[in-house]
Amino acid sequence: MDKFILRLDEASKVIDEADYILIGAGAGLSTAAGVDYGGKRHERYFKDFIDKYGFKDMYSSSFYNFDTPEERWAYWARHIFANRYDMGKTNVYQKLLKLVENKEYFVITTNVEHQFWINGFEDKRIFATQGGYGLLQCSKACHDKLYPNEKLVSELLEKTDDCRVPSDLVPYCPVCGEEMDVNLRKDNFFVEDEKWRGMYNNYAGFLEKIDNEKVVFLECGVGFNTPSIIRFPFERMTLSNSNAILIRLNLDYPQATHENEDKTISFDENIEEILDYWLSRV
């Protein structure tokens, strides 16, 4: 039998037999779902910015140091719209939900596109550690309130002209007057509000519950950008729990650590095809 099928069957069996499933989701999962930051999708949303600034993709351009806040918010309104409000449900996330919806599951993710919520994963089972595109905060973190931005983004898009927005639409903090920012963990000013702290507590409670239990750590598209959040902890917890199995889905970095070689099932194949096969076995 094909080795790929053998791995698929082995993984399907341990998922079926697991009492708990902890999903760790990184950028590779969203890319597999179609939230692609480059190529034709980038060109479709950002042709004017590409022509003016020479941008190559949405990831690198998000670090661009714009000369004015009017340019910066024209860019960020487009970026937020493309990746938070214009995506809708995606097949990969829908299939992942179907795989685990009847299990005792939890999700920890570094992704910021809100896809787990959009696709119907339970709110109390999600910990988005790095923030989200749909929220604004004070750029200096003078207070810990976060502000939904959908209405503002819509207005900024409508009023963008030559890659700039009107000065009176640039958002400023209602408390200290500093410019607002997107709630993303990119500096020491990242705001962890009451909702974030609640998600953290839910995650901590889940980890306590699965200690030494029969658990699958299902790691999806997690590389080495922020490995200390998901990849390394999943390896440590797999090693310390004799009842744990790590299933790693990663096109570029599927390898197991030496210590966990006999407790890791690795895949560098297409995530959606893997999910399709597992669902066919249910």
Side-chain angles (χ1 to χ4, degrees), residues 129-140:
T129 67
Q130 306 298 80
Y133 284 142
L135 298 167
L136 298 184
Q137 64 164 79
C138 173
S139 62
K140 300 303 180 184

Side-chain angles (χ1 to χ4, degrees), residues 72-73 76 80 132 135-140 146-147 149 171-173 178-184 186-187 189:
R72 180 164 54 252
W73 283 101
W76 274 105
I80 293 167
L135 298 167
L136 298 184
Q137 64 164 79
C138 173
S139 62
K140 300 303 180 184
L146 300 178
Y147 300 83
N149 61 24
Y172 291 95
C173 176
E178 289 285 346
E179 193 177 329
M180 297 291 275
D181 203 351
V182 188
N183 180 233
L184 304 176
K186 55 187 175 62
D187 55 32
F189 295 110

Side-chain angles (χ1 to χ4, degrees), residues 115-127:
Q115 277 287 306
F116 283 102
W117 283 276
I118 291 170
N119 284 281
F121 288 76
E122 288 188 66
D123 177 74
K124 67 181 181 180
R125 297 179 185 272
I126 307 167
F127 180 24

Side-chain angles (χ1 to χ4, degrees), residues 6-250:
L6 287 173
R7 281 182 287 125
L8 285 170
D9 287 341
E10 181 185 5
S12 179
K13 185 174 185 291
V14 298
I15 289 172
D16 182 60
E17 294 177 350
D19 294 322
Y20 300 94
I21 297 179
L22 180 55
I23 297 169
L29 179 64
S30 284
T31 299
V35 191
D36 185 359
Y37 280 22
K40 292 182 178 179
R41 186 168 180 268
H42 178 228
E43 293 175 11
R44 184 168 78 249
Y45 285 104
F46 285 97
K47 187 178 187 312
D48 50 347
F49 284 87
I50 294 169
D51 292 343
K52 186 169 184 176
Y53 300 99
F55 290 160
K56 303 299 183 184
D57 58 72
M58 281 185 257
Y59 179 75
S60 60
S61 61
S62 68
F63 296 98
Y64 187 81
N65 186 23
F66 290 95
D67 291 334
T68 68
E70 290 81 3
E71 293 169 276
R72 180 164 54 252
W73 283 101
Y75 169 81
W76 274 105
R78 195 85 58 85
H79 187 108
I80 293 167
F81 175 73
N83 298 299
R84 168 64 179 88
Y85 297 117
D86 203 36
M87 274 303 300
K89 293 181 178 181
T90 55
N91 289 336
V92 166
Y93 278 86
Q94 287 283 293
K95 290 171 182 178
L96 181 58
L97 175 60
K98 189 173 182 181
L99 181 71
V100 302
E101 62 186 351
N102 294 320
K103 288 284 190 178
E104 192 69 27
Y105 75 87
F106 197 89
V107 174
I108 178 171
T109 181
T110 54
N111 295 339
V112 293
E113 305 97 354
H114 216 73
Q115 277 287 306
F116 283 102
W117 283 276
I118 291 170
N119 284 281
F121 288 76
E122 288 188 66
D123 177 74
K124 67 181 181 180
R125 297 179 185 272
I126 307 167
F127 180 24
T129 67
Q130 306 298 80
Y133 284 142
L135 298 167
L136 298 184
Q137 64 164 79
C138 173
S139 62
K140 300 303 180 184
C142 77
H143 66 298
D144 67 359
K145 183 178 178 180
L146 300 178
Y147 300 83
N149 61 24
E150 186 172 10
K151 183 178 179 181
L152 174 64
V153 165
S154 179
E155 190 171 9
L156 290 171
L157 288 174
E158 182 182 350
K159 300 292 178 59
T160 295
D161 180 40
D162 191 27
C163 301
R164 298 173 62 91
V165 299
S167 297
D168 62 350
L169 289 184
V170 173
Y172 291 95
C173 176
V175 176
C176 72
E178 289 285 346
E179 193 177 329
M180 297 291 275
D181 203 351
V182 188
N183 180 233
L184 304 176
R185 188 185 298 277
K186 55 187 175 62
D187 55 32
N188 292 329
F189 295 110
F190 176 72
V191 168
E192 298 173 356
D193 70 341
E194 183 178 353
K195 170 70 174 178
W196 191 97
R197 294 190 292 271
M199 292 190 293
Y200 173 85
N201 289 334
N202 289 342
Y203 180 54
F206 189 83
L207 292 184
E208 288 182 8
K209 188 161 54 175
I210 67 175
D211 188 34
N212 290 320
E213 298 293 334
K214 188 178 287 187
V215 58
V216 166
F217 295 99
L218 181 56
E219 186 188 286
C220 306
V222 178
F224 287 96
N225 190 16
T226 52
S228 61
I229 297 173
I230 297 173
R231 191 176 181 104
F232 293 164
F234 274 31
E235 291 172 347
R236 288 195 297 270
M237 289 187 287
T238 299
L239 184 61
S240 66
N241 182 348
S242 61
N243 296 309
I245 294 292
L246 171 62
I247 299 176
R248 172 167 284 159
L249 313 181
N250 197 301

